[in-house]
Amino acid sequence: MLAAAAVAVAGSIAVPTAAQATAGKNPAGTVRQEAFAAAAAEFDVPEQVLLAVAYQESAWDAHAGGHSVGGGYGPMHLTDVTASMMAAGDAGAAGRADLAKTAADPALHTLQAAARLTGLAEQALRADAAANIRGGAALLASYQRAGGEELTADPGRWYAAVARYSQSPQRQGAQAFADRVFATLKKGAGRTTADGQRVTLAAEPQVSPDRGQLARLHLMSAAVAGTECPTTVECTFVPAAASNGQVSNRPANGIRIDSIVIHDTESSYASAISTFQNPGGGAAHYVMRASDGAVTQMVPLKDLAFHAGNYSTNMHSVGIEHEGYAAHGATWYTEAQYEATAELVTYLSGRFGIPLDRQHVIGHDNVVGPTSGTVSGMHWDPGPSWDWEHFMALVGAPVTGEHGIDDVGSVVTIAPGFAGNRQTVQVCPADDPTGATTACTRGEQPSNFVRLRSAPSDAAPLFGDQAVHPGAAGTDRINDWGGTAQAGQQFVVAEKSGDWTAIWFSGSKVWFHNPGGVNTIPADGVTVVKGGRTSADTPVKVYGSSYPDAAEYPTGLSPSTQAPLSMYTIPAGQAYVATAAAAPTDDYFKSSGTVVLGGKSMYTIQYNHRTALVYEGDVTATATPPTPTA
């Protein structure tokens, strides 16, 4: 999920002609429109070029003094990316000693360059939209002069300056950004921003961009000659910003690829591609279009993409973004998208040996935070409207078996269905970046989860995750993942009471309505881990990452650090399903290409709605026998 600078909010917009744009009075705020005009005049940048660049960067929004997920400030997306942003963002790289060096890339600090050009204070460029627009105009003018071009009124002759504004070191990325800017300029745009400013860009279809200027930038071409997709899907390659991932050589260098993470973009298809080309944020390996299932690959599979918010997960996974909004998922996740993604996932499974089950094909909402401070803020996409049971059937791995429930201590797979599993959810404006939700609204919708309660009763409080609702009950808010168990996830039965089933979940015993096992299928052939191996009173520590011990790093490499998640443990006597065999701890250093393997191994377990990690030596593992085949 993107909390992106360039959010697609235009929808069906009436684009003004040049005459209409200057006629009459606009009832909304005009201060920002005037700021663009003033900055363009001050720095001799064509106003329509400045507007089109800002539209691609931010849809003219100001971020209310804050920054985008890519560390960009204001309408011009002037960047100032810090190590802490990368630690808490899609890189999920908390505890890594090399973050300061990574964040020092000049491409991630255009805000400082704009401050030098304008003489404005950096804080003004961050917090004041008009100052920010002046900074962006100054940057564009400096790029135009550096390319040997005059500050001309002809927008077509600003192509190279616009391409350079993307900060992409690759020709394909810079060209794609510039082409989008000039496409916007040709067709025009108009919208009212989140803070009530009406901004318009008149359509100028006659503009002819001088693409030959691009050669003057002497950019590298992306190393990928083709795409890595099944032949059954339409697939193109557009490179993400280099800083939004790491060049590697998976799996040949020993970094296993063992999982696939399903996301949604919280934006349009084109906007997601644009956002991933902005340095300093995240990127997925693939972006899937809703209308027809077309695919854009943005990161080679051998490389790490910063998509999951957890560096250990990024190391071992492939990220697939889907055009759509989690709050409106059922209307965005089209059959074309499901089927194209199923074909892509099947291809990836065959190529890397990734098991086709819900323990290895997961949602972004199933990824644990790497540190205690990041757990509550991890993303919740693709949300409750992604039909997991339908999707797993499409990849040839349906959740099958007779519904029911076995004895206490057995394992069940959550299988509530989708269309008939209608759950009440509350959607609030903060959950819906489209702007369509203007007030918190509660309603029923088809869902992929069962609700979890603290006791076997509809009147009992919803379970509240310790990181989201410490000491309090959960809610039915659509983004409140803590009190839900999702289709395909597996848990150990802790107790049964009438029509209710209890499972071990997040260090607690939680209950869901399950008359006759209607929401579960007994599971077998899985590994169960139990706490209390060293002492009946010693809870097992739970982790969000999987790094080697400090002493296991070679001389010259700074060890990454990790600590137990402070709110989570496995109390003695509780049991959880391991999603795979215990795997060695590991780490990766892009600068030298070094992969560090630790001597200890960790299990990934289905701890709550999300997975978590425990050391193999801290638990007792027992494999349940598979059902004999005829």
Side-chain angles (χ1 to χ4, degrees):
M1 180 186 289
L2 306 175
V7 177
V9 288
S12 293
I13 293 174
V15 176
T17 65
Q20 291 169 332
T22 57
K25 292 184 178 180
N26 191 334
T30 60
V31 172
R32 191 151 308 148
Q33 185 89 54
E34 293 163 1
F36 279 111
E42 179 182 0
F43 294 99
D44 293 319
V45 178
E47 183 178 350
Q48 62 268 57
V49 171
L50 188 63
L51 282 163
V53 168
Y55 185 79
Q56 282 297 319
E57 291 284 17
S58 69
W60 301 320
D61 272 318
H63 304 303
H67 60 79
S68 73
V69 72
Y73 292 84
M76 299 305 300
H77 197 259
L78 301 178
T79 56
D80 184 21
V81 178
T82 65
S84 61
M85 287 181 193
M86 298 190 76
D90 290 328
R96 295 188 60 83
D98 58 353
L99 278 184
K101 181 178 180 181
T102 303
D105 184 345
L108 307 183
H109 299 282
T110 60
L111 188 140
Q112 282 75 14
R116 290 191 295 271
L117 289 167
T118 61
L120 293 169
E122 291 182 12
Q123 184 55 30
L125 292 168
R126 291 187 183 93
D128 182 79
N132 186 274
I133 293 167
R134 287 184 64 205
L139 275 178
L140 274 171
S142 73
Y143 296 157
Q144 181 78 346
R145 286 190 293 264
E149 288 287 332
E150 298 177 354
L151 301 181
T152 173
D154 178 2
R157 290 178 58 190
W158 286 74
Y159 188 85
V162 170
R164 184 172 173 186
Y165 198 94
S166 73
Q167 306 303 318
S168 174
Q170 296 175 328
R171 181 184 178 92
Q172 294 98 318
Q175 181 173 341
F177 176 80
D179 284 346
R180 286 193 301 274
V181 168
F182 278 91
T184 298
L185 197 156
K186 285 186 174 187
K187 68 184 180 182
R191 71 176 290 254
T192 299
T193 65
D195 57 350
Q197 293 292 311
R198 180 66 187 175
V199 184
T200 57
L201 169 63
E204 296 194 25
Q206 76 284 357
V207 170
S208 178
D210 182 2
R211 292 182 173 85
Q213 292 183 346
L214 194 63
R216 301 177 191 174
L217 299 182
H218 305 291
L219 299 172
M220 302 179 295
S221 290
V224 173
T227 58
E228 298 168 287
C229 294
T231 58
T232 52
V233 300
E234 177 188 343
C235 192
T236 57
F237 186 85
V238 176
S243 63
N244 297 353
Q246 290 182 328
V247 174
S248 185
N249 191 27
R250 308 182 308 168
N253 61 358
I255 298 177
R256 67 188 185 278
I257 301 177
D258 61 9
S259 59
I260 297 166
V261 182
I262 301 293
H263 305 253
D264 81 47
T265 61
E266 294 299 289
S267 74
S268 73
Y269 180 69
S271 183
I273 294 168
S274 174
T275 298
F276 289 158
Q277 291 177 284
N278 284 331
H285 292 90
Y286 300 94
V287 184
M288 314 293 292
R289 191 160 63 197
S291 60
D292 58 0
V295 186
T296 294
Q297 183 177 2
M298 302 199 70
V299 179
L301 292 170
K302 69 180 184 64
D303 297 339
L304 280 67
F306 292 161
H307 64 98
N310 184 312
Y311 189 83
S312 291
T313 302
N314 290 335
M315 279 183 66
H316 301 297
S317 65
V318 175
I320 306 177
E321 287 276 2
H322 294 77
E323 181 181 26
Y325 301 85
H328 302 277
T331 61
W332 275 93
Y333 304 147
T334 64
E335 187 61 21
Q337 201 176 45
Y338 275 123
E339 292 184 7
T341 303
E343 291 169 4
L344 176 59
V345 166
T346 302
Y347 161 82
L348 295 170
S349 171
R351 179 167 171 180
F352 298 113
I354 301 170
L356 288 173
D357 56 41
R358 281 285 283 119
Q359 285 63 58
H360 298 85
V361 183
I362 63 176
H364 196 179
D365 54 337
N366 304 140
V367 177
V368 65
T371 65
S372 300
T374 58
V375 171
S376 64
M378 292 292 285
H379 291 186
W380 56 279
D381 60 302
S385 294
W386 181 265
D387 189 346
W388 278 111
E389 291 181 64
H390 174 55
F391 180 71
M392 295 310 295
L394 288 174
V395 301
V399 179
T400 57
E402 184 176 348
H403 279 77
I405 184 169
D406 288 336
D407 296 333
V408 171
S410 66
V411 175
V412 291
T413 301
I414 305 298
F418 184 74
N421 178 38
R422 300 184 65 84
Q423 299 284 350
T424 298
V425 297
Q426 182 186 54
V427 181
C428 291
D431 307 321
D432 181 8
T434 69
T437 303
T438 58
C440 291
T441 305
R442 184 174 281 105
E444 278 192 353
Q445 65 178 47
S447 301
N448 61 22
F449 66 85
V450 294
R451 289 258 183 230
L452 303 173
R453 298 187 179 273
S454 58
S457 167
D458 284 325
L462 294 170
F463 177 74
D465 182 84
Q466 301 94 305
V468 182
H469 304 288
T475 71
D476 62 6
R477 183 87 171 262
I478 195 170
N479 65 355
D480 193 347
W481 48 267
T484 62
Q486 205 172 61
Q489 293 181 331
Q490 295 179 322
F491 299 96
V492 177
V493 177
E495 192 176 342
K496 296 188 289 185
S497 178
D499 289 340
W500 291 77
T501 300
I503 53 176
W504 297 120
F505 185 94
S506 205
S508 298
K509 182 192 295 184
V510 299
W511 296 83
F512 61 97
H513 195 232
N514 192 29
V518 67
N519 292 317
T520 53
I521 295 173
D524 50 40
V526 299
T527 297
V528 172
V529 301
K530 296 181 180 180
R533 175 170 179 164
T534 56
S535 167
D537 299 321
T538 303
V540 172
K541 296 176 181 179
V542 173
Y543 294 80
S545 54
S546 179
Y547 293 132
D549 291 345
E552 296 176 312
Y553 284 78
T555 302
L557 294 180
S558 298
S560 299
T561 60
Q562 64 186 22
L565 301 177
S566 60
M567 69 287 293
Y568 295 148
T569 63
I570 299 179
Q574 293 191 9
Y576 293 81
V577 174
T579 65
T585 56
D586 56 1
D587 203 354
Y588 174 64
F589 292 84
K590 172 191 170 185
S591 56
S592 60
T594 303
V595 178
V596 181
L597 290 176
K600 298 177 182 177
S601 291
M602 301 185 83
Y603 282 110
T604 299
I605 62 170
Q606 188 65 66
Y607 181 69
N608 47 31
H609 186 97
R610 304 190 188 279
T611 57
L613 293 136
V614 294
Y615 280 104
E616 182 181 27
D618 289 347
V619 296
T620 301
T622 304
T624 63
T627 300
T629 56

